[in-house]
Amino acid sequence: MPEAPKILSDSADCIDGIVVENNNKVLKFIEDVTADADEVQRRVLSQILSRSANVEYLQRYGLNGCTDRETFKKVIPVVRYEDLKPDIERIANGDTSPILCSQPISEFLTSSGTSAGERKLMPTIEEELGRRSLLYSLLMPVMSQFLPGLDKGKGMYFLFVKSEAKTPGGLVARPVLTSYYKSSHFKNRPNDPYTNYTSPKETILCLDSYQSMYSQLLCGLFQNEDVVRVGAVFASGFIRAIQFLEKHWSLLCKDIRTGTIDSKITDPSVREAVMKILKPNPKLADFVEAECSKGSWKGIITRLWPETKYIDVIVTGTMSQYIPALDYYSNALPLVCTMYASSECYFGINLNPLCSPSEVSYTLIPNMAYFEFLPVTRKDELTGSISGPTALNDKEKQQLVDLVHVKLGQDYELVVTTYAGLYRYRVGDILRVSGFKNKAPQFNFICRKNVALSIDSDKTDEVELQNAVKTAANQLLQYEASLVEYTSYADTSAIPGHYVLFWELSVKDSTLIAPSVFEDCCFTVEESLNSVYRQGRVCDKSIGPLEIRVVENGTFDMLMDFALSQGSSINQYKTPRCVKYAPIIELLSSRVISSYFSPKCPRWTAGHKQWCTQN
């Protein structure tokens, strides 16, 4: 198996020749591992199965220590999270026996996908941090092929940790990026010109979202001439940072002018770290003030950070809705999606990072995990979503193909087997084969299966939305009113974005229903949604209050007529529960007679409900 590249020097005096040599080692590794993709995959599976030969899960299905692909595929089922949940709960509750993995489970990574309204718990092991670090180490050598000089400046990245919890058995449960930022791999990373950020680690590790954002922006502004790239994880997070700047630039200018930090920043470690960077700079304060006080914020990124070459954010999938705003703020700088990863596993990288966002393609790195692919068929629905069977029959199981046997243009659901104890696990991501790098396929990310609504890291599926709406609409019955039809969309025209529900009602006398009743309905829907959504509303402030827009009677008949005029079959038509097509949203919006917002935030606490109850 091709060996992972090793950095030649961790010296702060890393010279150009060493940077070039490190880059060449990385590019050769990518070339080798993709050229020998099938053999690498065979060895990865063999290594995973030989290490885990005695774990309970594999013994349960009679693998009996076999490490070959044929036996593995014959006896091990293709599973979803719900199938693994009993085993995962045993580990969470303190069972330390080798249930899924031979190595000790070091923590749980909380997935933004949800199960029964709670974050999924993905088991992980200590060595996975090294595997994630490996993928990160590939990104900048690839990027430097397209944009030279990135090692000469700094990256202004808005990175944040989220709250964590402990399972009843004492294991930490937290998002994958929080795990990485708190690890020694990130905090004690070697001196590297590509990981030279404007934000001190203390500002990233601050749990208070206001203090973290403020201090990271302050450091980024103060070092504005050094910044050559900017970014965040998601496009929505980067836009939130610009909106934060729009609200607080005068305070930030004051701090730059005087070399002090606003009194609202109370975290002592943050204040100490920022003060090592900050000193009075009236000239810079005048410059920032002049730019921010202009009438238009068009191109504000290139105006304040003039050396910026690109924006590093995820703009695939639901994040594509933020592309117009990013283009506006940046004067259409390149939008770069560098990597593809999840809580379950880190998957691959973008080898053509300056491509258009609509053409982003990820090359799966074959030594990250063992990959299989389940062919899927897109249904022609107004939502553009993909749904599929929850369980596979024998024929569908036989349709799964290996990494090197996927077909160009075909859509697949990703299935992974990981070093941390997931075996033939359906990730839920739908990918389309767009090309090949040597023997390794490249994929466009199409969508997350069954997701109806998403603003940030939240994912609300159609069933969950249906149940939440039903619960809320029951409050109208006492007013002799009922819900006739509804649909929804994610409104990101303002930041933060918010969920919008279009409701058509059958009502005897609408004057009998006070606005507060509909506001209570909004709140009830929010209370019924998953913990990731509620955290976004309560803690992260990344999602705005839910809105219900009541539409005129007959609106959904008009929606059906529109769908039929676009070629839908009257026999197969059903009201879409989520809409994204602009003409449909315009039609619905033109029929709104009243709108209402949730009057307060829903309840949210870190951890799963049952843990909080036990504590």
Side-chain angles (χ1 to χ4, degrees):
M1 188 182 300
E3 289 191 12
K6 292 181 174 59
I7 295 176
L8 297 179
S9 171
D10 61 0
S11 168
D13 300 320
C14 194
I15 59 175
D16 289 349
I18 293 179
V19 171
V20 171
E21 192 170 349
N22 280 333
N23 287 356
N24 289 338
K25 287 186 71 174
V26 166
L27 297 176
K28 184 178 186 304
F29 168 76
I30 294 170
E31 195 70 28
D32 292 345
V33 82
T34 55
D36 205 19
D38 194 47
E39 177 61 18
V40 172
Q41 281 282 277
R42 185 191 67 76
R43 292 180 188 175
V44 164
L45 181 62
S46 178
Q47 188 177 46
I48 291 172
L49 297 181
S50 61
R51 284 172 33 167
S52 297
N54 296 320
V55 303
E56 180 184 323
Y57 184 85
L58 294 181
Q59 289 184 334
R60 186 184 304 161
Y61 292 104
L63 191 60
N64 298 324
C66 293
T67 62
D68 61 287
R69 282 193 265 207
E70 293 74 20
T71 306
F72 172 71
K73 291 184 177 186
K74 183 178 180 181
V75 303
I76 302 301
V78 179
V79 297
R80 300 166 299 128
Y81 183 79
E82 286 69 24
D83 301 312
L84 298 180
K85 197 172 180 182
D87 289 323
I88 287 173
E89 287 180 344
R90 284 172 56 192
I91 299 170
N93 288 327
D95 190 332
T96 58
S97 59
I99 299 171
L100 294 174
C101 184
S102 59
Q103 296 188 43
I105 301 302
S106 56
E107 63 181 315
F108 284 108
L109 304 177
T110 53
S111 170
S112 58
T114 60
S115 176
E118 297 288 353
R119 289 181 181 269
K120 295 177 181 177
L121 298 174
M122 295 298 164
T124 193
I125 55 179
E126 191 67 31
E127 75 171 45
E128 279 298 294
L129 283 165
R131 206 163 276 112
R132 289 175 223 144
S133 295
L134 165 63
L135 203 66
Y136 285 125
S137 74
L138 308 182
L139 304 180
M140 292 310 297
V142 170
M143 196 72 214
S144 293
Q145 295 179 102
F146 299 87
L147 292 173
L150 295 175
D151 57 319
K152 307 300 183 188
K154 295 185 178 184
M156 183 181 70
Y157 283 79
F158 300 105
L159 308 176
F160 304 93
V161 296
K162 295 191 176 184
S163 57
E164 56 190 46
K166 280 201 172 182
T167 71
L171 289 173
V172 174
R174 55 193 177 187
V176 62
L177 290 174
T178 297
S179 169
Y180 181 71
Y181 298 150
K182 287 191 170 185
S183 74
S184 61
H185 288 263
F186 179 78
K187 291 193 293 186
N188 303 323
R189 61 193 183 278
N191 290 315
D192 181 340
Y194 291 137
T195 58
N196 190 4
Y197 302 133
T198 57
S199 298
K201 63 178 180 284
E202 292 83 0
T203 65
I204 296 169
L205 297 175
C206 177
L207 259 177
D208 185 292
S209 59
Y210 177 91
Q211 294 188 59
S212 179
M213 180 73 85
Y214 187 96
S215 56
Q216 290 191 59
L217 263 172
L218 180 59
C219 292
L221 285 167
F222 190 79
Q223 302 170 82
N224 74 318
E225 292 183 353
D226 298 327
V227 172
V228 294
R229 53 196 172 103
V230 300
V233 178
F234 294 113
S236 55
F238 187 80
I239 292 174
R240 279 204 310 279
I242 300 303
Q243 298 261 330
F244 186 98
L245 176 62
E246 212 166 345
K247 288 182 180 178
H248 302 287
W249 61 263
S250 58
L251 280 176
L252 291 159
C253 285
K254 179 183 176 183
D255 288 351
I256 294 170
R257 189 180 307 281
T258 59
T260 58
I261 310 174
D262 188 75
S263 60
K264 289 183 181 178
I265 310 306
T266 57
D267 186 312
S269 65
V270 171
R271 294 185 68 89
E272 182 181 353
V274 173
M275 285 307 297
K276 290 179 181 178
I277 296 171
L278 198 63
K279 57 185 178 183
N281 192 334
K283 183 179 178 181
L284 176 60
D286 289 343
F287 167 73
V288 174
E289 188 173 53
E291 292 298 333
C292 291
S293 59
K294 289 179 180 176
S296 171
W297 272 57
K298 179 174 170 48
I300 193 67
I301 295 167
T302 50
R303 283 155 48 191
L304 292 178
W305 296 277
E307 300 302 317
T308 303
K309 299 177 186 291
Y310 67 94
I311 303 177
D312 186 351
V313 287
I314 294 172
V315 289
T316 51
T318 58
M319 289 295 124
S320 63
Q321 60 196 325
Y322 297 102
I323 291 173
L326 289 168
D327 286 343
Y328 176 81
Y329 286 126
S330 73
N331 275 333
L333 279 174
L335 303 177
V336 173
C337 301
T338 56
M339 65 183 289
Y340 170 40
S342 76
S343 303
E344 293 88 344
C345 178
Y346 277 29
F347 304 119
I349 61 175
N350 182 358
L351 295 180
N352 184 24
L354 294 186
C355 67
S356 164
S358 63
E359 298 173 355
V360 169
S361 180
Y362 300 105
T363 302
L364 268 60
I365 302 300
N367 64 338
M368 299 305 293
Y370 180 66
F371 301 113
E372 295 177 88
F373 301 87
L374 174 65
V376 297
T377 302
R378 175 178 289 278
K379 295 183 178 180
D380 182 22
E381 296 179 353
L382 290 173
T383 59
S385 65
I386 294 180
S387 60
T390 55
L392 300 181
N393 58 38
D394 290 338
K395 182 179 179 181
E396 287 167 329
K397 290 176 185 175
Q398 294 171 5
Q399 291 178 345
L400 266 73
V401 297
D402 292 324
L403 181 70
V404 299
H405 295 140
V406 296
K407 295 180 180 178
L408 188 67
Q410 172 69 49
D411 288 0
Y412 296 92
E413 181 182 351
L414 180 60
V415 177
V416 297
T417 296
T418 71
Y419 287 89
L422 298 178
Y423 306 94
R424 308 197 84 187
Y425 179 85
R426 298 172 67 175
V427 175
D429 289 353
I430 306 301
L431 309 177
R432 179 173 299 154
V433 184
S434 59
F436 292 85
K437 167 66 175 176
N438 295 324
K439 299 293 185 180
Q442 298 173 313
F443 295 90
N444 303 130
F445 178 89
I446 301 303
C447 68
R448 179 81 181 168
K449 188 161 71 80
N450 295 331
V451 170
L453 292 171
S454 179
I455 294 290
D456 192 56
S457 59
D458 55 297
K459 296 179 178 72
T460 299
D461 65 35
E462 189 172 306
V463 174
E464 181 183 13
L465 181 64
Q466 170 75 28
N467 292 335
V469 168
K470 181 179 179 181
T471 300
N474 284 340
Q475 298 174 216
L476 300 177
L477 296 178
Q478 60 184 306
Y479 301 99
E480 297 185 78
S482 61
L483 182 64
V484 175
E485 273 293 7
Y486 78 93
T487 191
S488 64
Y489 90 105
D491 184 353
T492 56
S493 59
I495 302 296
H498 69 291
Y499 289 6
V500 174
L501 303 180
F502 292 99
W503 280 16
E504 183 175 327
L505 305 175
S506 172
V507 56
K508 187 174 182 180
D509 185 353
S510 60
T511 61
L512 296 178
I513 308 178
S516 60
V517 174
F518 288 108
E519 291 173 353
D520 287 343
C521 287
C522 294
F523 179 72
T524 299
V525 173
E526 293 199 300
E527 282 276 277
S528 303
L529 295 179
N530 61 71
S531 64
V532 183
Y533 173 89
R534 288 181 281 116
Q535 181 178 3
R537 281 279 286 119
V538 176
C539 183
D540 302 336
K541 308 298 183 186
S542 59
I543 305 173
L546 181 138
E547 179 184 7
I548 289 176
R549 299 178 186 174
V550 179
V551 297
E552 298 176 55
N553 288 342
T555 296
F556 281 84
D557 289 337
M558 294 177 65
L559 179 57
M560 182 179 69
D561 291 340
F562 177 84
L564 297 180
S565 73
Q566 299 296 300
S568 296
S569 167
I570 192 168
N571 295 319
Q572 296 180 322
Y573 175 80
K574 62 177 182 179
T575 301
R577 294 306 177 209
C578 174
V579 294
K580 301 172 184 176
Y581 188 41
I584 292 178
I585 296 171
E586 290 171 11
L587 185 157
L588 292 166
S589 298
S590 71
R591 305 273 295 177
V592 172
I593 55 179
S594 58
S595 67
Y596 311 90
F597 289 88
S598 184
K600 56 185 177 180
C601 285
R603 289 165 291 183
W604 176 81
T605 53
H608 283 214
K609 291 178 181 176
Q610 63 267 32
W611 306 347
C612 299
T613 303
Q614 290 173 7
N615 292 336

